[in-house]
Amino acid sequence: MKTIVVLTGAGMSAESGISTFRDSGGLWDQYNVEDVATPEGFRKNPELVLDFYNKRRRESFGAKPNLGHTGLAAMETDFNVHVITQNVDNLHEKAGSTNVLHLHGELVKVRSVNNPDLIYTLTEDNPDIHIGDKGEDGAQLRPHIVWFGEAVPAIEEAMNIVQKADILVIIGTSLNVYPAAGLINYVKEGTPIYLIDPQEVRTNVQGVHFIRKGASEGVKELRQIVGNSRE
Ligand code: APR
């Protein structure tokens, strides 16, 4: 089976009702990144940050995968599909994708501020964390999210996966945020690259096949192009 590696961003979940970051009216129009998505912001006003992610988590629990997510999951019948996502929602998993690597963390998880390995999974009945909620180590819990200025622990694994791609697909990311945006440079020479996005996305890589559509329509077109070639 051929290996398809799919790098996804916020646009993947837009049709599921989840806001993107940099489109007009997106999250970074409504919030100051430094306030809610940096370690400094969390030190300054932890309540604001917890509240921001509580809202995101509730939104994600209530959201359903769209035809883009389910289309990618269905491709597992014919391809070895690896999803590498910058998204912190769990819509790829809800759609049935079995190989999902989260580069920027997961909303459904929280962790001790003192121990990155002490991780808890929240449930829909209990979706929030507050000041005073502590792990077994007695330390405050924080979102299991990679904030700006923090290392991206999964990036090396992601680079290795991208190197194995027979086909690379990029969906719904403005390719503004590194190191995720740099993953495109790790494909083997000659690997076909498809980029699905309704807007123009700039990349320094040559030969990208642009599919100027939303995620649902774009994945449908991708499946028509790559077919079900198992060789
Ligand atoms: N289908 C596909 N793509 C879409 C759709 C849609 N229906 N709607 C919008 N898009 C595209 C936009 O055109 C844009 O190119 O999704 C992209 C979203 O870009 P960003 O908002 O910048 O999101 P992303 O690239 O995922 O951001 C990367 O930045 O702040 C952070 O940590 C956060 O993981 C995030 C990272």
Side-chain angles (χ1 to χ4, degrees):
M1 269 193 195
K2 282 189 178 172
T3 295
I4 295 198
V5 176
V6 190
L7 173 65
T8 66
M12 183 79 225
S13 299
E15 290 157 36
S16 296
I18 295 184
S19 297
T20 62
F21 295 95
R22 294 172 187 79
D23 287 305
S24 101
L27 282 173
W28 297 153
D29 269 357
Q30 301 166 49
Y31 295 88
N32 192 345
V33 187
E34 286 77 26
D35 290 343
V36 296
T38 64
E40 295 74 26
F42 186 60
R43 272 197 292 276
K44 221 166 75 188
N45 191 346
E47 222 154 343
L48 176 82
V49 176
L50 295 186
D51 185 53
F52 174 76
Y53 288 101
N54 287 343
K55 282 202 183 102
R56 308 274 80 74
R57 192 177 303 109
R58 280 171 180 263
E59 185 181 63
S60 151
F61 273 135
K64 290 194 181 66
N66 61 55
L67 289 174
H69 294 106
T70 52
L72 290 177
M75 289 176 86
E76 291 191 11
T77 316
D78 300 306
F79 296 93
N80 178 20
V81 182
H82 286 270
V83 176
I84 301 172
T85 188
Q86 297 167 85
N87 297 346
V88 293
D89 63 51
N90 56 1
L91 293 178
H92 284 299
E93 288 92 340
K94 276 192 192 167
S97 284
T98 58
N99 253 324
V100 184
L101 182 68
H102 284 271
L103 286 176
H104 294 165
E106 292 172 75
L107 277 171
V108 68
K109 295 180 181 169
V110 295
R111 68 173 192 252
S112 153
V113 293
N114 286 346
N115 180 358
D117 298 322
L118 188 54
I119 298 171
Y120 300 90
T121 302
L122 299 178
T123 59
E124 270 185 74
D125 325 327
N126 197 10
D128 296 339
I129 53 169
H130 300 286
I131 301 296
D133 290 344
K134 293 176 177 155
E136 282 143 282
D137 60 351
Q140 174 66 44
L141 295 175
R142 58 161 276 182
H144 184 54
I145 298 288
V146 176
W147 287 326
F148 286 97
E150 294 188 316
V152 179
I155 197 69
E156 221 168 271
E157 191 181 346
M159 288 167 179
N160 291 332
I161 294 170
V162 170
Q163 278 165 359
K164 288 189 207 125
D166 297 310
I167 299 170
L168 179 69
V169 182
I170 299 170
I171 308 177
T173 170
S174 61
L175 294 176
N176 266 302
V177 174
Y178 285 81
L183 284 171
I184 189 171
N185 298 305
Y186 286 82
V187 287
K188 296 182 297 256
E189 217 182 306
T191 307
I193 303 176
Y194 297 92
L195 193 152
I196 299 172
D197 200 298
Q199 304 293 328
E200 186 188 350
V201 176
R202 285 167 194 270
T203 158
N204 56 359
V205 174
Q206 301 294 311
V208 173
H209 306 277
F210 290 94
I211 301 176
R212 283 284 288 266
K213 293 192 168 161
S216 297
E217 280 299 308
V219 168
K220 195 168 150 197
E221 185 166 325
L222 172 80
R223 293 181 70 186
Q224 281 158 2
I225 296 168
V226 300
N228 59 2
S229 56
R230 286 165 181 265
E231 73 277 11

